[in-house]
Amino acid sequence: MAVGARDHIDKLLVQKYQSLQVDNHNNINQIDEQEMLDKMQTVAQDKVAMMKYQDKLKELGNKLLAKSAYKNYRYIPVR
């Protein structure tokens, strides 16, 4: 899959914006390092909690399927 301008309008836009540069260095001081680290830690803890919860749900689902299969196997009428 190629990336680039495909038609005339895209080519003109590329020519127009290829010389522009982004300078966000003045915004870097607005971010508090400790606050950012706290948010990253919170996100990581949430992700770990969700993974643990997902594992518990998978285990419960497997147990229910096994129990259902055992019950169905056990109560098959024999003729």
Side-chain angles (χ1 to χ4, degrees):
M1 182 168 110
V3 176
R6 294 191 177 133
D7 59 8
H8 183 65
I9 294 174
D10 287 342
K11 289 178 184 177
L12 290 176
L13 287 172
V14 168
Q15 288 176 358
K16 180 177 180 179
Y17 292 111
Q18 70 184 356
S19 62
L20 295 179
Q21 295 179 356
V22 178
D23 185 17
N24 291 334
H25 296 293
N26 55 355
N27 295 338
I28 197 83
N29 296 330
Q30 295 176 355
I31 301 171
D32 182 28
E33 296 94 4
Q34 190 60 41
E35 182 180 350
M36 186 60 152
L37 289 174
D38 291 343
K39 288 180 182 180
M40 288 171 60
Q41 184 178 13
T42 303
V43 168
Q45 288 173 348
D46 290 346
K47 179 70 174 174
V48 169
M50 284 190 287
M51 289 172 61
K52 286 181 181 179
Y53 188 66
Q54 184 180 18
D55 289 342
K56 286 182 182 180
L57 284 176
K58 282 182 183 178
E59 184 179 339
L60 177 64
N62 289 336
K63 286 181 181 178
L64 287 173
L65 286 174
K67 186 175 181 180
S68 175
Y70 179 73
K71 277 188 176 180
N72 289 339
Y73 175 74
R74 216 170 139 199
Y75 294 113
I76 291 177
V78 179
R79 294 180 194 219

